[in-house]
């Protein structure tokens, strides 16, 4: 499973390269055996002028990859590479991850119909599955209804059915070998919608960290002097009070309630509970949340309420509290019980 926002950002940076009259390529990690910095499906952009966006390895492979990307862009030919990071004689001082990585470099031209169609479906913000022929770079899209978009004549039906089947369950992109070819099946999912109720100073680092962690963030606060693009450039600014919004428009959203005004928190919690929420976190002590719930006639069994919000990491400053909150959001999103990595054999289990 890959995040729609990462693919969207990579394609936007590719378009920026075209505007500079530079060729550009998408670099994708398509396979991993053993340990790796990122999972299959990770994407980045490389342009002929040396500019890059995103990361595959955290910095240890990108310079070598760029040399291959230059050749791929010059010839407009897809390149597939394998790196064995356990070979210290080749990789110098010894890279932390010792896995074997399969990486594909796909030069993309402005008139490529597949990527134009991909961009169109990305703008809709809907889930889809992307199928790529690794050797040719040709692609096919399976939309959220299971319909095929693109030239599917050369893609075996078994691959298409696999792409349909994993759209909701895939946790990482996967390769399928069939008829002497390798196909990458990559389920693309939109970011989780996170509503942060309250545009106080302490919401600023929460919004910034959550956006960088891949959430699509909306700040809910009617105060235009506090809730605006200048203070929250990475979020949508919903300048309304909680009782002015329709909860059905935010079905399945994530909520962080941090108005610092109890009456507003009560109204927010009422709306959030009616939205069939994925998560609700309430800032402050549990006694306060209990009082809020009693006032609105609800209890902790009314929904996925987390109070106090955040992980217990000894946070005190606004930035530390933001780390605590976003860390909990990530753990819930990824289905993890927070615990130290110390002693774990596998990180991406």
């Amino acid at each position: 499973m890959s995040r729609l926002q990462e693919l969207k950002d990579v394609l936007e940076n590719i378009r920026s390269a075209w505007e500079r009259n530079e060729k550009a390529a998408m670099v994708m990690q398509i396979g991993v055996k053993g340990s790796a910095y990122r999972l299959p499906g990770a994407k980045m952009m490389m342009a002929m002028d040396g500019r890059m966006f995103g990361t595959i390895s955290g910095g240890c492979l990108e310079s070598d990859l760029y040399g291959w990307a230059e050749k791929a862009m010059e010839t407009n030919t897809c390149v597939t590479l394998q790196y064995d990071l356990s070979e210290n004689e080749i990789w110098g001082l010894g890279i932390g991850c010792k896995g074997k990585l399969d990486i594909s470099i796909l030069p993309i031209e402005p008139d490529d119909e597949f990527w134009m169609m991909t961009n169109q479906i990305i703008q809709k913000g809907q889930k889809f599955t992307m199928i790529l022929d690794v050797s040719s770079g040709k692609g096919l899209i399976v939309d959220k209804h299971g319909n095929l978009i693109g030239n599917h004549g050369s893609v075996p039906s078994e691959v298409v059915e696999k792409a349909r089947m994993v759209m909701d369950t895939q946790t990482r992109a996967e390769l399928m070998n069939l008829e002497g070819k390798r196909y990458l099946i990559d389920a693309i999912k939109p970011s989780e919608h996170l509503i942060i109720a309250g545009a106080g100073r302490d919401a600023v680092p929460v919004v910034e960290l959550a956006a960088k962690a891949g959430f699509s963030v909306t700040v809910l606060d009617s105060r235009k002097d506090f809730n605006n693009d200048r203070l929250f450039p990475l979020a949508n600014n919903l300048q309304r009070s909680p009782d002015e919004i329709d909860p059905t428009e935010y079905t399945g959203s994530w909520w962080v309630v941090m108005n610092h005004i109890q009456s507003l928190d009560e109204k927010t919690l009422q709306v959030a509970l009616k939205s069939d929420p994925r998560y609700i976190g309430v800032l402050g002590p549990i006694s306060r949340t209990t009082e809020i719930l009693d006032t609105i006639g609800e209890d902790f069994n009314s929904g996925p309420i987390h109070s106090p919000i955040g992980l217990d990491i000894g946070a005190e400053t606004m930035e530390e509290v933001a780390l605590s909150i976003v860390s909990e959001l990530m753990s819930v999103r990824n289905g993890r019980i927070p615990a130290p990595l110390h002693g774990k054999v596998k990180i991406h289990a």
Side-chain angles (χ1 to χ4, degrees):
M1 183 273 292
S2 297
R3 300 201 177 281
L4 185 148
Q5 189 63 46
E6 180 178 43
L7 178 56
K8 181 179 180 180
D9 290 343
V10 167
L11 289 177
E12 285 179 352
N13 277 271
I14 287 174
R15 282 195 296 274
S16 294
W18 294 338
E19 291 170 0
R20 302 192 304 270
N21 294 317
E22 297 287 347
K23 293 184 176 181
M26 182 182 297
V27 182
M28 297 181 62
Q29 186 159 292
I30 60 174
V32 173
K33 291 183 180 178
S35 299
Y37 187 82
R38 298 197 62 192
L39 295 173
K43 303 170 183 69
M44 69 176 297
M45 182 280 302
M46 291 185 174
M48 190 63 85
D49 59 3
R51 299 193 198 186
M52 302 182 192
F53 173 83
T55 184
I56 294 292
S57 71
C60 45
L61 293 179
E62 275 70 7
S63 59
D64 189 76
L65 281 169
Y66 180 71
W68 289 100
E70 278 188 308
K71 297 176 182 177
M73 288 183 281
E74 287 171 356
T75 61
N76 196 30
T77 304
C78 296
V79 174
T80 303
L81 308 168
Q82 185 174 84
Y83 291 88
D84 185 347
L85 302 186
S86 65
E87 297 176 347
N88 287 336
E89 294 81 3
I90 297 176
W91 296 106
L93 298 177
I95 293 173
C97 300
K98 302 291 185 180
K100 292 182 179 180
L101 314 182
D102 288 310
I103 295 176
S104 179
I105 301 174
L106 309 174
I108 299 179
E109 296 289 330
D111 59 353
D112 190 305
E113 291 186 6
F114 171 73
W115 291 108
M116 286 192 287
M117 290 186 296
T118 301
N119 185 59
Q120 289 173 1
I121 197 169
I122 284 174
Q123 301 309 316
K124 297 178 181 178
Q126 300 173 350
K127 65 181 180 181
F128 64 96
T129 303
M130 183 168 62
I131 302 172
L132 287 175
D133 181 332
V134 173
S135 61
S136 68
K138 293 182 179 179
L140 176 66
I141 289 173
V142 181
D143 71 12
K144 67 175 185 177
H145 303 295
N147 300 317
L148 302 182
I149 300 174
N151 183 9
H152 53 85
S154 60
V155 179
S157 59
E158 295 93 331
V159 178
V160 172
E161 289 308 309
K162 176 75 171 180
R164 288 192 177 113
M165 184 176 63
V166 303
M167 186 176 296
D168 293 318
T169 60
Q170 189 183 71
T171 59
R172 62 197 69 184
E174 54 192 294
L175 285 170
M176 186 171 181
N177 298 309
L178 196 66
E179 299 177 3
K181 291 186 176 182
R182 294 196 300 170
Y183 299 91
L184 181 73
I185 300 175
D186 191 9
I188 310 291
K189 295 184 180 179
S191 298
E192 295 79 4
H193 187 199
L194 172 65
I195 301 172
I196 296 180
R201 288 181 59 206
D202 58 344
V204 173
V206 178
V207 170
E208 182 178 0
L209 285 174
K212 289 180 177 179
F215 289 90
S216 176
V217 185
T218 294
V219 177
L220 171 63
D221 195 308
S222 61
R223 300 173 296 175
K224 296 181 180 181
D225 289 341
F226 291 83
N227 186 14
N228 52 58
D229 290 338
R230 181 178 61 83
L231 294 173
F232 296 100
L234 299 180
N236 298 312
N237 309 111
L238 187 57
Q239 296 169 338
R240 300 180 189 173
S241 62
D243 51 6
E244 291 178 325
I245 67 173
D246 180 358
T248 61
E249 294 181 7
Y250 302 96
T251 300
S253 293
W254 298 54
W255 295 75
V256 172
V257 182
M258 51 189 307
N259 289 292
H260 298 289
I261 300 173
Q262 188 153 326
S263 60
L264 278 176
D265 284 348
E266 291 168 1
K267 292 178 181 179
T268 301
L269 205 47
Q270 284 180 309
V271 173
L273 287 169
K274 293 176 182 177
S275 69
D276 190 18
R278 176 70 177 83
Y279 169 101
I280 301 173
V282 185
L283 190 70
I286 193 170
S287 58
R288 181 176 182 273
T289 303
T290 300
E291 184 178 340
I292 290 172
L293 289 168
D294 288 341
T295 301
I296 66 175
E298 303 286 356
D299 57 36
F300 280 97
N301 294 318
S302 300
I305 301 170
H306 297 245
S307 175
I309 189 175
L311 300 185
D312 185 2
I313 58 174
E316 182 178 351
T317 67
M318 290 191 299
E319 291 76 16
E320 291 172 347
V321 171
L323 280 170
S324 170
I325 291 172
V326 176
S327 294
E328 181 178 49
L329 292 171
M330 291 177 61
S331 69
V332 175
R333 180 179 68 184
N334 297 327
R336 299 296 185 94
I337 299 174
L341 288 173
H342 174 68
K344 283 195 75 172
V345 176
K346 291 185 177 181
I347 296 174
H348 299 299

